[in-house]
Structure formats: structure tokens, C-alpha cells
Amino acid sequence: MSNNIVLGDNQYGKAEVRVVKVTRDTDRHQIEDLNVTSQLRGDFQAAHLEGDNGHVVATDTQKNTIYAFARDGIGSPEAFLLRLSEHFTSGFEWVTGGRWEAEAYSWDRIQAHGSEHDHSFVRNGQEVRTAVVVREGATTHVISGLKDLTVLKTTQSGFVGYPRDQYTTLPETTDRILATDVSARWRYNTGLDVAGTDFNKSYDDIKALLLEGFTENYSHALQQTLFDMGKKVLEAHSEVDEIKFSMPNKHHFLVDLTPFGLDNPNEVFFAADRPYGLIEATVQRDNTAPAPIAWSGIAGFC
């Protein structure tokens, strides 16, 4: 057995830098709100093995760079991360790549006296937008996504035909509530023209397609609905190679009201937060090349 101990894969950076950019070029202000993580990869062996920090771009420097770049505007989380990746890989020759991640939080204008206010906002809690840029040498991967998008339909869903054994107590049903928190991430082609891509428009369209896909068709299982949602996105967006989902089945159980002399015609439910079914899957084109380095570090997706 060898006693040689060597340094394996490594990265480092500044995590969860909260940056809010307010654009004030007119009386009608704009707000952009991000949580950014920067991690660098490259020749950092001497720092680990010899305590030589000659190649260590301080995490504080990475934080300051994020704030400085925000001064010129953000535009979209993806575009902002791409700017950071270009800066660090071109500015330091020993930085060969890295991983940059962001969560974006939406704000809506407050309605005041029948119109949208110019500089007062209310947090939009519908979902959190996500973005990841992974750069390795000359290859750049862009992954967009969202999480905590809670959806529910009150009918057109059932669950029957599953195997039964001595531990199965779940009754079959052809009419149930289907609810889930959608977490989805989609990877763009590596040949994507990032300069010519409107990531904000693409995000809005893909989110709308996911919601439409959830509503369409009778759902025989959450797995089927998941696939329908992913297929709808890939059919409409040739620039997307694959989309990954992680979706809990938020169970709603019919309450027995007979002890109170009442019927319950599928109207009163107990919403259980745990335990829950957890459905995860990738929907992809049949000729999609795997990109494991792009997904490394993204937990909760198969």
C-alpha cells in the first residue's frame, strides 16, 4: 500500500456575497439583488503544500471585484457571472478556471394610488432564480435555473397501478391534488453565443413553459409531469442541452370528517410537510454529451 499523499481537486473563493444594485439614471429606479459565490481553480498547489500564497488571489479581492463589477450594472445573473469568469481567468495566468454561482431575488414595484411606484418595491416571493458559470480552460458551461417554485393543481392527477406488498397501505386514486416545489436547472450548449443571448428573456420564457407543462395533460405520476415539463422546454429552446429537476411530492391527504357527521367530497385536506416523495430526473436530448464538471457541486440533482 502506497504511503504517498497528494493534493486532489481543489477550489477556493468567497461565498455568498450579497450585492444590491440600484440604477438611478432616471426618477424610476431599477433594483437588482444577487447572492454571488466566486470560486477559483488552477495552480494552487504551493499554497496547500508549502504555505506559499503567491498564487492566492485573496477571497476579499474576489468579494471586492463583485462589488466593483456591479457598479457597471448586472444585466442578468448569467452575464454577470460570465464577466467575473473572464476577469479572473484572463487576469491571473495560473487561474485556469473556476465556478461562479448566483441566486437572484425579484422585486416588484409597489402599487400606490393605482400605479406602480417609481422607487418603492415589495419582494416577489414566487421563486428564486439561480445561475452557475463553470469555466475549465477554453470551455465555459452556463447553467440557469430556479428553485422554490411552488405549484399545485386540484385535479387531473392520480396514482394507480403500482406494485403492492405487505407494507403497502396507500390507496389508489384517480383524482388527487398534485403539488410540488419545482427546482430546475438547465444547461446551455457549450457553443452558445453568450454575447448574443438574452438570458433574462430566455429565463422568463422557460419559466412560463415549465408552468404550462405542469398544467397540461392528466398526471399519472409526478414523474410523468416532470418529463412533460422538461420536454416542453427542450422542444422550444434548441440552445438548451439538458434540464435537471428535483421535485418533492407535497402530499395532501383527505381528512375523514365522518366522526363529525360530515361528508368530504374531495374538498378538505391535510397538507403534510414531511415525509415526502422526492422525484429527481434529467430530461435531455439523445445526442447530449455528458458534462459532469458543469454539475459538480450542485447538490440535489441526479
Side-chain angles (χ1 to χ4, degrees):
M1 180 175 180
S2 173
N3 290 321
N4 292 332
I5 298 172
V6 299
L7 178 67
D9 293 340
N10 61 92
Q11 62 185 16
Y12 81 99
K14 186 68 85 177
E16 298 198 47
V17 180
R18 291 288 283 110
V19 54
V20 176
K21 171 64 166 64
V22 179
T23 301
R24 305 172 181 270
D25 51 358
T26 70
D27 289 339
R28 188 173 177 83
H29 297 171
Q30 308 289 334
I31 186 170
E32 296 168 293
D33 187 353
L34 294 185
N35 188 25
V36 182
T37 293
S38 171
Q39 295 172 297
L40 306 184
R41 299 170 181 168
D43 179 12
F44 304 115
Q45 182 164 308
H48 290 86
L49 303 184
E50 304 167 20
D52 180 352
N53 294 326
H55 281 183
V56 179
V57 182
T59 66
D60 191 66
T61 301
Q62 295 181 53
K63 175 203 70 177
N64 292 341
T65 304
I66 291 167
Y67 288 134
F69 274 38
R71 175 63 182 87
D72 292 330
I74 291 171
S76 71
E78 294 85 355
F80 189 69
L81 299 182
L82 285 163
R83 287 171 58 203
L84 291 172
S85 72
E86 176 61 26
H87 170 79
F88 286 112
T89 56
S90 63
F92 305 93
E93 61 182 17
W94 58 87
V95 177
T96 58
R99 184 177 185 276
W100 294 267
E101 183 170 9
E103 293 182 345
Y105 312 113
S106 299
W107 292 84
D108 294 331
R109 295 186 184 277
I110 292 177
Q111 294 285 332
H113 308 293
S115 62
E116 293 181 341
H117 201 275
D118 285 342
H119 55 263
S120 295
F121 301 85
V122 59
R123 175 75 177 271
N124 181 334
Q126 196 171 86
E127 90 279 1
V128 174
R129 180 176 174 178
T130 62
V132 176
V133 168
V134 176
R135 186 158 180 166
E136 189 70 18
T139 303
T140 300
H141 299 280
V142 180
I143 299 174
S144 299
L146 53 80
K147 65 179 183 178
D148 301 330
L149 181 65
T150 303
V151 293
L152 177 152
K153 60 181 177 181
T154 55
T155 189
Q156 290 297 298
S157 172
F159 191 54
V160 301
Y162 46 88
R164 307 188 73 89
D165 65 8
Q166 66 269 34
Y167 302 115
T168 303
T169 59
L170 183 70
E172 294 189 344
T173 179
T174 58
D175 189 7
R176 65 172 181 171
I177 287 178
L178 181 66
T180 186
D181 293 328
V182 180
S183 292
R185 293 186 186 252
W186 50 94
R187 181 174 64 85
Y188 291 95
N189 313 143
T190 54
L192 179 74
D193 176 17
V194 294
T197 299
D198 186 339
F199 289 105
N200 287 337
K201 183 178 184 302
S202 179
Y203 176 83
D204 289 341
D205 187 58
I206 289 176
K207 176 187 170 183
L209 289 169
L210 291 172
L211 292 174
E212 286 180 1
F214 179 79
T215 69
E216 295 171 348
N217 304 325
Y218 180 91
S219 175
H220 293 275
L222 184 54
Q223 287 91 331
Q224 179 191 19
T225 299
L226 177 156
F227 185 81
D228 288 346
M229 294 164 69
K231 180 181 178 184
K232 194 174 182 72
V233 170
L234 294 181
E235 288 176 339
H237 287 268
S238 60
E239 74 277 16
V240 175
D241 272 347
E242 60 181 338
I243 180 168
K244 292 179 180 286
F245 293 91
S246 181
M247 295 167 56
N249 197 334
K250 298 171 70 72
H251 301 299
H252 287 68
F253 298 109
L254 198 67
V255 177
D256 181 10
L257 299 180
T258 55
F260 320 120
L262 300 171
D263 65 354
N264 189 359
N266 219 20
E267 292 184 355
V268 180
F269 297 85
F270 166 64
D273 64 343
R274 66 194 65 183
Y276 51 86
L278 182 59
I279 314 303
E280 298 177 329
T282 302
V283 182
Q284 62 188 41
R285 305 184 190 282
D286 59 5
N287 60 350
T288 295
I293 193 168
W295 295 102
S296 176
I298 301 179
F301 293 84
C302 64

